Amino acid sequence: MADILTTPRITILDDPARAAAEEISALLDETPSAVLGLATGGTMIPVYRRIAEGCAASRMSLARTTTFNLDEYVGLPPRHRQSYHHFMTEHLVNQSDMNPARMHLPDGAAPDPDAEAARYEAMIARQGPIDLQLLGIGANGHIGFNEPGSPGDSRTRVVELTARTRRDNARYFAPGEPVPTHAITMGIATILAARRIVLLATGSGKAQAIASLLEGVPRSDCPASFLLRHRQVHLLLDPAAASLIRR
Ligand code: F6R
């Protein structure tokens, strides 16, 4: 059967993080117990800062929200400074009224990572659907840690990180500290099961990935292009990330 494809909504603005925080705030005004899918990485830091400001000013509350993060490094326990669990604690839980018991990430230190991936997928299925999935994008077009070559029907699983992603992410590790080789990530089908998706990209380093995503056909070499199969995707881009869009 032919793919039914849609064109994502695209908004280009100087402060996409603020727009993302506002979308989340509007959802939580309507549905305080909404289920959020969250991402980590540098692009998300200003989003979580805005959300923290909103909570501090009592303009928004995460108290009743359940969250599922996209991914976690295999081998890093939650307390490890470079774990995504630690990132979320530092940037969101400690800065807001979020209930840490409702924050979920795969356990990077689980003795059986494949079983952990299956457990995480089942938990999302049980507590979902995710109302709003926040995404960043890798310079190589990855979403979550679905690297080029990831199938569109993939679910939460253990993946090997590409040399490029490990190089890109080395900036978050101490000099000389090894970057993990594997991660547990939601799959592309897991991500596409969210009711709506907000993808944020900033900086010229993401311009090529955004242009490839919009090329028109979902392709495994640009995993983000599978988003064309979802009806409610909003791309929030700064002018640099949007600079190679052809139309
Ligand atoms: C992180 C994640 C990744 C990042 C992407 C962009 O949870 O899923 O897909 O969103 O690697 O990372 P930054 O924002 O650091 O460029």
Side-chain angles (χ1 to χ4, degrees):
M1 207 177 80
D3 264 341
I4 299 174
L5 303 178
T6 59
T7 309
R9 187 175 151 212
I10 302 173
T11 307
I12 301 169
L13 66 183
D14 288 329
D15 190 355
R18 179 178 175 165
E22 281 169 1
E23 280 210 32
I24 291 172
S25 178
L27 170 67
L28 296 180
D29 278 351
E30 222 171 82
T31 315
S33 60
V35 180
L36 299 179
L38 298 179
T40 59
T43 316
M44 297 301 144
I45 292 176
V47 179
Y48 298 145
R49 195 182 310 126
R50 295 277 183 188
I51 291 176
E53 285 165 6
C55 290
S58 303
R59 276 185 275 110
M60 69 186 286
S61 171
L62 299 181
R64 293 176 55 198
T65 307
T66 298
T67 66
F68 286 96
N69 266 77
L70 285 163
D71 40 20
E72 179 61 283
Y73 289 115
V74 169
L76 300 195
R79 277 186 315 278
H80 190 285
R81 283 198 66 75
Q82 270 68 40
S83 74
Y84 285 166
H85 196 286
H86 186 271
F87 177 102
M88 293 309 296
T89 304
E90 192 178 346
H91 291 287
L92 196 57
V93 176
N94 289 350
Q95 315 296 334
S96 71
D97 62 352
M98 185 169 157
N99 178 352
R102 292 221 180 94
M103 173 179 84
H104 304 291
L105 290 96
D107 179 0
D112 180 345
D114 293 317
E116 172 60 11
R119 183 195 70 84
Y120 196 66
E121 176 78 22
M123 188 164 53
I124 296 170
R126 217 169 38 245
Q127 298 193 32
I130 288 172
D131 293 295
L132 186 154
Q133 176 68 55
L134 197 56
L135 293 180
I137 186 168
N140 64 1
H142 73 218
I143 48 174
F145 272 135
N146 294 283
E147 299 281 33
S150 298
D153 60 359
S154 51
R155 295 279 172 181
T156 306
R157 68 203 186 289
V158 176
V159 292
E160 184 170 3
L161 304 179
T162 61
R164 178 169 191 182
T165 295
R166 294 182 68 221
R167 213 169 41 239
D168 286 348
N169 288 6
R171 67 187 189 276
Y172 300 121
F173 288 76
E177 191 180 4
V179 180
T181 55
H182 290 77
I184 297 175
T185 182
M186 283 189 201
I188 292 174
T190 320
I191 292 170
L192 293 180
R195 288 188 207 273
R196 59 198 254 238
I197 296 173
V198 174
L199 184 147
L200 211 74
T202 53
S204 57
K206 304 297 171 68
Q208 186 54 57
I210 292 297
S212 304
L213 142 58
L214 292 169
E215 244 156 51
V217 198
R219 300 170 331 273
S220 283
D221 65 342
C222 176
S225 65
F226 286 109
L227 297 175
L228 300 174
R229 287 186 178 154
H230 195 286
R231 284 168 189 279
Q232 282 212 62
V233 177
H234 191 183
L235 305 185
L236 293 172
L237 312 174
D238 72 358
S243 59
L244 297 178
I245 298 177
R246 282 215 203 95
R247 62 201 155 79

